Amino acid sequence: MRNSANQSRISIAELVYFLIGLLLLWGLAGLLAQGQSKRQQPAVQAQAQIQQPLYREYRGIRLGMAAAEVRAKLGEPALKSDEQDFYLISSNETAQIAYNTSQKVVTISTDYAGGVGAPDHKSVVGEDLMERPDGSLFRMVTYKSERFWVSYNKNPATTGTVTITITALK
């Protein structure tokens, strides 16, 4: 009887070791899969860095431009402050220009009511807009080498407002 009891203890121990080994292998497979996806990300990021920005300015206004230069190009803003200017370009188009403490442009955001006058998304962020559950369309492209991102948002409401934003990376 002792032999059969020892044999059953050994088989239980072997089963426990087998299960532990199986769990370790499963965990290792998960780590390897994560490592593969992390290795693929730099290649995708490198492509984004090499890609030339499609949309980097609005009516001649660029990131880093001085507030005085912006006002010379766009005229007197409807609302003016050290941090931000608001322009009413037309009944369908508005622009907000945000400045840092050095009075340099850090964000350019434009709204096109009803999408009237808005550039085509392909000329702003390229193909493949993402549709959100609420029906809005969105895409953001980051240009790390040039230290900015640009986004395209289209509101699904009946007004269909399009917002295009260019922002400097910190």
Side-chain angles (χ1 to χ4, degrees), residues 123-160:
S123 67
V124 177
V125 292
E127 301 287 332
D128 302 327
L129 292 177
M130 177 182 74
E131 186 171 353
R132 293 180 173 155
D134 67 356
S136 63
L137 300 173
F138 172 79
R139 181 157 186 219
M140 182 174 118
V141 180
T142 300
Y143 301 100
K144 288 185 180 183
S145 63
E146 297 196 36
R147 305 200 37 77
F148 79 95
W149 58 261
V150 61
S151 68
Y152 182 98
N153 293 286
K154 185 172 184 183
N155 183 324
T158 55
T159 60

Side-chain angles (χ1 to χ4, degrees), residues 4 8 18 24 32 39 42 44 49-51 53 58 63-64 67 80 92 108 111 116 119 133 135-136 138 142 152 158:
S4 89
S8 67
F18 175 76
L24 288 173
L32 288 174
R39 279 192 213 121
V44 171
Q49 288 177 0
I50 293 169
Q51 180 185 7
Y58 166 75
L63 296 174
K80 178 180 175 179
N92 297 322
I108 304 164
D111 290 316
V116 176
S136 63
F138 172 79
T142 300
Y152 182 98
T158 55

Side-chain angles (χ1 to χ4, degrees), residues 81-85 97-100 103:
S81 76
D82 288 342
E83 294 85 27
Q84 181 174 316
D85 288 341
I97 314 296
Y99 307 105
N100 63 14
Q103 289 289 280

